[in-house]
Amino acid sequence: MKNIYVLLCASILLSTQAFSQALSLPPSGDNQKCAVTQYVGTIASVTVKYSSPDVDGRTGKIWGELVPYGLTDLGFGLQTPSPWRAGANENTTIKFSHDVTVEGKPLKAGTYGLHLIVEESGPWTWIFSNNSTAWGSFFYEEKDDALRVQVTPETSEFHEWLTYEFLDRDPESALLALMWENKRVPMRIAVQGLNDLYVSTFEKELQSSPGFNYQNWAAAAMFLQQREYKLDKALEWADAAISSPFIGVEDFNGLQTKSMVLAKMGKKDEANEIMMKAVNHPTAGAFQIHTFGRQLIGDGMKDKALEVFEINHKRFGGAWPTNVGMARGLSAVGRYDEALKYAKLALAEAPDQVNKDSMTQAVEKLQKKVDIN
């Protein structure tokens, strides 16, 4: 009976241990867990997860003492010379949603353990390890390295808490830095083939519910037009926005998008033909036509711009800003006296002080026979 009781107690204990969970105690050393995420564009992301120690009165004793120079036997785990864990407690990790380059060197999408070799002089070395689940650097092995890059540490303003921050961003890259005490250790991260990534993402999305909105096809086409990338694909999408069965809608915006794509492809005559169709389309508004006229002036197409402004004025009966357009169009071709007449009309109907001031200046210039564009 006693043996049965002992076995029963042991069984209950093992069962309890199997289902128990750790308490939510404060982190070791009060090194709070942190995470920072930065998107490159709207698709690719970089996430760093780390534990953040503070200087805690150890100013001047962080680099080279608390964080040793070079590789160090940490006295636990594999007990082999190891780099710094680039944080506190368990692995500092960095996750890339897509393939990237770090300091110009390629690295596949995935999650990596992040380590750092600190040097008394010369460059420091970031290490991206395929082992991202170990505790700290105790089980670091060089054979797990996915990538090493060298960077130059910089002097920075004082940081009490170890912090990772994205200091600089542009459409295709971001600058990540570790900052602690008086040091900043950077790394430049760039997304490989970002334009192709957008294209493949758009292609998938346009096959789903977003593809039933013609404006999304036009937006995808405009993206490629602005980046001057895969313009044949841009034209395909622009045509779909206008004429795809059950989806396409022919309107001013869609026609303008197609025109802009054709212009980037060097097909100026086709672009102008489509744009004139847009100008005369029932969906065209006075401001849209006016904006196109100003664009033509900027492109040096002054006679065509005046033609567009005349269409706008006739169609919308002199409503704002069609008199402004006539003043600009006539001024562009040197017909200053006629332009002055329309500028005075525009001044009288200006809807706010900003436009009143602008047209006042236009009147003064035209009286001196000076172009207002």
Side-chain angles (χ1 to χ4, degrees), residues 91-210:
N91 255 193
T92 297
T93 63
I94 186 165
K95 179 180 180 181
F96 304 104
S97 64
H98 295 78
D99 294 352
V100 298
T101 61
V102 182
E103 294 295 314
K105 296 183 177 181
L107 186 61
K108 292 291 186 182
T111 301
Y112 299 92
L114 186 60
H115 306 272
L116 185 63
I117 300 177
V118 176
E119 302 288 0
E120 188 171 6
S121 62
W124 294 10
T125 304
W126 284 113
I127 301 173
F128 301 82
S129 173
N130 288 310
N131 183 355
S132 63
T133 59
W135 185 276
S137 299
F138 296 123
F139 299 92
Y140 168 80
E141 293 187 83
E142 187 174 344
K143 68 179 179 61
D144 293 326
D145 287 1
L147 177 67
R148 288 189 176 202
V149 297
Q150 291 189 324
V151 298
T152 301
E154 304 166 352
T155 299
S156 76
E157 67 278 11
F158 183 82
H159 284 77
E160 174 69 22
W161 298 94
L162 185 151
T163 302
Y164 283 88
E165 185 176 342
F166 289 90
L167 302 178
D168 180 41
R169 308 157 201 171
D170 62 38
E172 297 186 359
S173 70
L175 183 68
L176 171 65
L178 178 155
M179 297 180 291
W180 196 22
E181 199 205 29
N182 59 355
K183 292 290 186 185
R184 176 168 60 210
V185 193
M187 68 171 85
R188 172 64 67 175
I189 300 167
V191 177
Q192 296 179 293
L194 190 59
N195 285 338
D196 285 329
L197 180 58
Y198 275 110
V199 170
S200 63
T201 300
F202 293 164
E203 287 177 331
K204 292 177 182 177
E205 291 176 340
L206 290 171
Q207 292 174 9
S208 187
S209 56

Side-chain angles (χ1 to χ4, degrees), residues 293-327:
R294 295 202 62 178
Q295 178 186 325
L296 290 172
I297 291 178
D299 291 340
M301 302 174 67
K302 299 176 181 180
D303 291 330
K304 179 64 72 173
L306 178 56
E307 179 185 347
V308 168
F309 288 133
E310 287 172 336
I311 292 171
N312 204 21
H313 192 273
K314 180 179 180 180
R315 181 170 172 183
F316 290 96
W320 182 269
T322 59
N323 283 320
V324 179
M326 288 298 297

Side-chain angles (χ1 to χ4, degrees), residues 28-51:
S28 176
D30 286 331
N31 300 316
Q32 304 292 340
K33 290 186 177 182
C34 305
V36 59
T37 296
Q38 177 62 48
Y39 279 82
V40 181
T42 57
I43 299 172
S45 64
V46 182
T47 298
V48 182
K49 293 184 178 181
Y50 62 103
S51 293

